Amino acid sequence: MDVLERNNVRVEGAGPRTMVFAHGFGCDQNMWRFVWPAFAQGYRVVLFDHVGCGGSALGAYDPQRYAALDGYADDVVQICRRLGVTDGVFVGHSVSAMIGVLAAEAAPDLFREMVMVCPSPRYIDDGAYRGGFSEAQIHELLAFLDENHMGWSRQMAPVIVGNPDRPELAEELTNAFCRTDPEIAKRFARVTFLSDHRDALPRVRPRCLVLQCAEDVIAPQEVGEFVHAQLPDSRYVLLDATGHCPNLSAPDETVAAMTGFLASPAA
Amino acid sequence: MSTTQGPADSRTSPEMEDLEDLFDTAPCGYVSAGADGRIIRANRTLAGWLGHDVAVFSGKRLQDFLNIAGKIYFETHFAPLLRMQGFFHEVALDLVRADGSTLPVLVNAEERRDAAGQLRFVRVTVFNATDRRRYERELLQARTALEELNRTLEARVVEAVEARLATEDALRQAQKMEAVGQLTGGIAHDFKNMLAVISAALNLTERRLRTGGDVAPFILAARDGVERATALIQRLLAFSRRQALVPVPVDPNRMIAEMVDFLRRTLGNGVQLRTELAPGTGQLLADSSMLENALLNLAINARDAMPGGGELVIATANRLLGVEEAAGQRVAPGPCVTIAVTDTGIGMTPEIAAKAFEPFFTTKGVGQGTGLGLSQVFAFARQSGGHVAIRSAPGEGTTITLCLPQLPAEAAGPAHDASGAEILIVDDDPQSLSLKVEMLSGLGYAVHLARSAVEVQDRLASGPGIALVLTCADMRGHGGRTLAQDLARCRPDLKLLVTSPAAGAGCPDHLPWPAPLDQLAARLQALLDPAR
């Protein structure tokens, strides 16, 4: 299967350089809908869905390949190779910031800059490191997912959300997150929240921007500061936005921070 | 929307007071959150569910009241959803109560914007979903159980069928043993008579030897007694042997004729046995020992129905089973053979007749019958592709008719046509030898005898017409198997048949012994005239 079809790749805009947007755990490339248009004038914009999410080919999901973030990173490399990306900009939200780190290490020619939106190299606390979650909490999350609690969404969405007068409501919900296979979402959650790639940060060669939100329960401020401190060449911006998705809740602030970073000369 | 909390102050109008009451006491939880996600106000219903004071909610976010999975899913799924489409509906989340326990809820959220499109606040409604969550969990469990059930269905069917087959096998054996028990009682005095004959002949022989007279008549009489007793024993053994159903071509007239003596002994003096065997009755495809067993069961039942004596008639006939009647009996239409057993006994009421074929149904006293006899007859008829009918009335006797499909003439072939072919019997057991002689002679073969392997060469030399050697596998000294191997090497023109009590599956020349006459005849015929 062609990687562009597999990852539901969408190419927009035009420019001498390519900007690749990677969504995090939950949702799909729609995460970037308020951000990417701001860059379509100066860049060739590439959007895609991780396998198992959004409009990707669910049949291409291979539990072996995606048992670690490296499988997702390899997909990024394949997409970029297919589109001839070199010296591009990688924009990764949440877990995809680390997927970008792994991709850049595997293929150093792909990216010159990386924008990490609410990144976290490890979610579980470890000694002095504060990841934001205790081991017990992450296991509570995984047990909760194993109980198939969220399973209702796919099995019962037509019943629960079904509104005969307004079928578009169900359609929107389904598009946004119910289309994710609950089994795959469960596995992606496991891979994401048990990952630990702190050791990869000092080896990152591209220039980086770390965007941190206030009051982010998934990637707390301490984690953003840790990432910034570990990266050899990075800029750290603490946004006014709260939560974990400034690309949605504060797109203007996000775009401004990115534009400022990309316009600034390399150190 | 007021941004104050708590009860309405003195400035509120009665309408406002009414709305405040509606907000606070609604059967669902209400939360109003600002554009920054912070809770402006929660109603008393939600506060009551969670065991908090309403003031606790102010300034917090909804995520603060979720369990860890809810926090993560809210941030990664539902907050983006709300931002992208302006609402989310009926999202299943768990709220954490003040005491640490969780409350399953369904949450709706909707953004409220002003005319300019600016986000003013977010209206959140919360429904208690305790019951619903339980149903969902039960539904998922039921689905899992159903999947498991389907997955193991095939294995369970196989297991059940195997158990059923094993039970049927045990039942068949039990039926045979019951018949043997009945037989033993009926013929014990026959054995006593035969032993008396032998004993008397031996006494007379002794006396005659002392006086120097001719002992030949007494030896002949003793031998006759021994042979009759041997035949009887063989018949009993044949009945009691555990074996699978092996349908073979059976000539019912011949089988019944051969059973007559034996049946007379079983029936005793009070019952007259008569046969009406229609000439030209076709052959059947059936397990011959089971058919014999069925006839024996019918005869025993008839005898017991005539405590004061009477007449038992066994009649055979050809019959064409019509389409309609066949459909009624759920069998195939076409030519069939009927074997009717009629007694002049007490008969049955319609109620008893209707139950007669049911297993364990018996009108006999405790210890006199298991009620398995007629059910064996019924099962046998069904297994052989036929059916069984009962006609009876109190005081008018009973006729039970077995109707079994006729073997097509081309498959049956003519009955045993030995044409005097010569067979050498090798057996060192005098009784077994005697039985074989009787059976083969009865089938029309010319018989030569050898009582050991050593004698075989002489017999073959003196009988150049011998076409087949029937040998016993377990002879003392030179074994029958070795003999068969030697013969196969030296005299490849000779046909061989080896009898042994042990199973000999896979040996084409093996015949389990003792064998019913039909089986012996069929094997001999197949060996001597394979073209037929």
Side-chain angles (χ1 to χ4, degrees), chain B residues 48-389:
Chain B
W49 284 346
L50 298 187
H52 287 302
D53 189 273
V54 286
V56 167
F57 293 88
S58 182
K60 294 227 169 53
R61 297 177 306 167
L62 185 65
Q63 297 94 298
D64 297 332
F65 296 93
L66 294 172
N67 67 349
I68 192 71
K71 280 193 215 304
I72 291 171
Y73 264 77
F74 194 92
E75 292 292 351
T76 56
H77 289 73
F78 308 125
L81 197 61
L82 181 63
R83 182 66 188 88
M84 282 190 287
Q85 65 181 25
F87 65 90
F88 63 72
H89 283 154
E90 308 225 353
V91 165
L93 292 167
D94 283 355
L95 292 175
V96 181
R97 293 194 186 94
D99 65 5
S101 61
T102 55
L103 174 72
V105 290
L106 287 177
V107 179
N108 295 328
E110 205 149 335
E111 290 182 341
R112 301 278 194 243
R113 291 178 181 271
D114 61 21
Q118 279 301 305
L119 179 62
R120 290 189 56 221
F121 64 94
V122 179
R123 156 71 61 239
V124 180
T125 46
V126 181
F127 296 92
N128 187 329
T130 309
D131 288 349
R132 181 183 182 137
R133 194 69 57 79
R134 194 172 62 237
Y135 301 149
E136 286 176 9
R137 193 160 286 140
E138 285 168 3
L139 195 64
L140 288 168
Q141 282 168 356
R143 187 180 294 148
T144 310
L146 190 65
E147 281 166 2
E148 172 70 9
L149 208 61
N150 284 334
R151 202 176 54 72
T152 58
L153 183 64
E154 204 174 317
R156 282 182 294 116
V157 166
V158 169
E159 206 173 292
V161 168
E162 279 173 358
R164 169 93 191 256
L165 289 176
T167 308
E168 283 177 357
D169 183 51
L171 186 62
R172 263 206 306 277
Q173 186 65 7
Q175 288 163 346
K176 280 195 298 191
M177 294 320 288
E178 187 195 356
V180 169
Q182 295 267 6
L183 267 174
T184 313
I187 63 182
H189 72 277
D190 279 319
F191 270 110
K192 207 174 158 191
N193 289 345
M194 289 170 196
L195 289 174
V197 167
I198 297 164
S199 177
L202 289 172
N203 281 335
L204 290 168
T205 305
E206 265 179 346
R207 197 174 299 173
R208 193 62 63 88
L209 281 174
R210 277 200 296 275
T211 58
D214 180 16
V215 297
F218 302 127
I219 289 176
L220 204 63
R223 181 176 289 165
D224 180 58
V226 167
E227 280 172 5
R228 281 170 55 207
T230 303
L232 213 51
I233 288 286
Q234 291 299 343
R235 190 64 79 167
L236 275 173
L237 288 175
F239 270 121
S240 59
R241 196 151 43 90
R242 183 187 284 268
Q243 61 186 14
L245 277 178
V246 184
V248 293
V250 176
D251 177 348
N253 285 356
R254 176 184 285 265
M255 170 179 279
I256 292 164
E258 286 167 1
M259 286 179 77
V260 164
D261 264 4
F262 177 63
L263 289 172
R264 285 216 168 94
R265 289 196 192 104
T266 308
L267 293 171
N269 291 332
V271 176
Q272 295 301 308
L273 175 64
R274 187 159 60 82
T275 58
E276 293 175 3
L277 307 178
T281 300
Q283 290 200 60
L284 304 167
L285 190 67
D287 184 292
S288 57
S289 76
M290 292 305 284
L291 178 56
E292 285 178 341
N293 199 1
L295 288 174
L296 181 66
N297 273 317
L298 290 176
I300 290 167
N301 267 9
R303 178 197 69 190
D304 294 346
M306 300 183 285
E311 187 184 43
L312 177 70
V313 182
I314 302 179
T316 59
N318 286 329
R319 220 187 126 203
L320 190 67
L321 191 63
V323 174
E324 214 164 289
E325 191 184 351
Q329 295 292 342
R330 289 179 294 142
V331 295
C336 59
V337 171
T338 59
I339 304 174
V341 180
T342 304
D343 66 55
T344 56
I346 51 176
M348 301 180 214
T349 63
E351 293 76 32
I352 289 176
K355 286 182 167 184
F357 293 121
E358 289 178 13
F360 303 108
F361 178 80
T362 179
T363 56
K364 299 174 188 175
V366 175
Q368 290 180 291
T370 58
L372 291 172
L374 282 182
S375 79
Q376 183 272 332
V377 174
F378 180 80
F380 164 75
R382 281 285 171 208
Q383 284 167 356
S384 305
H387 67 277
V388 55

Side-chain angles (χ1 to χ4, degrees), chain A residues 25-28 30-31 33-34 94 132-133 136-138 140-141 144-145 147-152 155-156 159-161 166 168-169 172-173 176-177 180 185-186 189 193 214-218 242-245 248-251, chain B residues 35-38 59-61 63-64 66-94 96 102 104-106 108 110 132-133 135-137 139-140 143-144:
Chain A
F25 172 67
C27 204
D28 54 25
N30 278 305
M31 280 277 193
R33 58 163 68 176
F34 302 131
S94 192
F133 297 94
Q137 283 178 316
I138 290 297
E140 186 190 329
L141 164 73
F144 182 81
L145 294 177
E147 227 182 65
N148 203 17
H149 173 61
M150 300 308 293
W152 69 268
Q155 311 287 352
M156 301 181 188
V159 181
I160 295 169
V161 190
R166 294 185 65 194
E168 74 277 9
L169 299 190
E172 265 284 345
L173 264 174
F177 70 93
T180 304
K186 197 160 82 179
F193 291 103
E215 297 180 81
D216 182 349
V217 296
I218 303 207
T242 57
H244 189 57
C245 301
L248 283 171
S249 63
Chain B
D36 61 356
R38 298 200 181 279
K60 294 227 169 53
R61 297 177 306 167
Q63 297 94 298
D64 297 332
L66 294 172
N67 67 349
I68 192 71
K71 280 193 215 304
I72 291 171
Y73 264 77
F74 194 92
E75 292 292 351
T76 56
H77 289 73
F78 308 125
L81 197 61
L82 181 63
R83 182 66 188 88
M84 282 190 287
Q85 65 181 25
F87 65 90
F88 63 72
H89 283 154
E90 308 225 353
V91 165
L93 292 167
D94 283 355
V96 181
T102 55
V105 290
L106 287 177
N108 295 328
E110 205 149 335
R132 181 183 182 137
R133 194 69 57 79
Y135 301 149
E136 286 176 9
R137 193 160 286 140
L139 195 64
L140 288 168
R143 187 180 294 148
T144 310

Side-chain angles (χ1 to χ4, degrees), chain A residues 27-174:
Chain A
C27 204
D28 54 25
Q29 58 183 272
N30 278 305
M31 280 277 193
W32 301 111
R33 58 163 68 176
F34 302 131
V35 173
W36 71 261
F39 297 94
Q41 295 299 318
Y43 292 86
R44 177 170 68 146
V45 169
V46 174
L47 298 151
F48 72 95
D49 297 333
H50 287 302
V51 170
C53 304
S56 68
L58 295 187
Y61 185 81
D62 172 6
Q64 291 280 315
R65 177 172 172 79
Y66 300 109
L69 295 184
D70 306 74
Y72 294 97
D74 193 44
D75 283 1
V76 170
V77 173
Q78 286 179 4
I79 292 165
C80 291
R81 291 277 182 247
R82 178 75 169 72
L83 296 174
V85 177
T86 51
D87 287 334
V89 181
F90 180 86
V91 185
H93 174 230
S94 192
V95 69
S96 274
M98 295 313 296
I99 290 171
V101 165
L102 299 176
E105 188 167 14
D109 58 317
L110 293 185
F111 309 119
R112 202 194 305 160
E113 276 109 5
M114 295 182 71
V115 177
M116 301 182 174
V117 184
C118 307
S120 175
R122 178 183 165 105
Y123 297 86
I124 301 174
D125 298 340
D126 180 28
Y129 173 80
R130 312 310 311 164
F133 297 94
S134 68
E135 192 148 0
Q137 283 178 316
I138 290 297
H139 284 108
E140 186 190 329
L141 164 73
L142 298 177
F144 182 81
L145 294 177
D146 280 340
E147 227 182 65
N148 203 17
H149 173 61
M150 300 308 293
W152 69 268
S153 58
R154 187 153 161 272
Q155 311 287 352
M156 301 181 188
V159 181
I160 295 169
V161 190
N163 183 334
D165 302 325
R166 294 185 65 194
E168 74 277 9
L169 299 190
E171 180 59 18
E172 265 284 345
L173 264 174
T174 305

Side-chain angles (χ1 to χ4, degrees), chain A residues 17-22 31-32 34-40 43 45-47 88-93 113-118 207-212 235-239 246-248 250-265:
Chain A
R17 297 182 66 200
T18 304
M19 188 177 285
V20 179
F21 287 90
M31 280 277 193
W32 301 111
F34 302 131
V35 173
W36 71 261
F39 297 94
Y43 292 86
V45 169
V46 174
L47 298 151
V89 181
F90 180 86
V91 185
H93 174 230
E113 276 109 5
M114 295 182 71
V115 177
M116 301 182 174
V117 184
C118 307
R207 198 162 65 94
C208 294
L209 169 66
V210 177
L211 290 182
Q212 178 66 44
R235 178 188 292 195
Y236 176 80
V237 175
L238 178 62
L239 301 170
N247 39 342
L248 283 171
D252 295 343
E253 193 184 9
T254 304
V255 169
M258 286 172 64
T259 307
F261 166 71
L262 292 169
S264 65

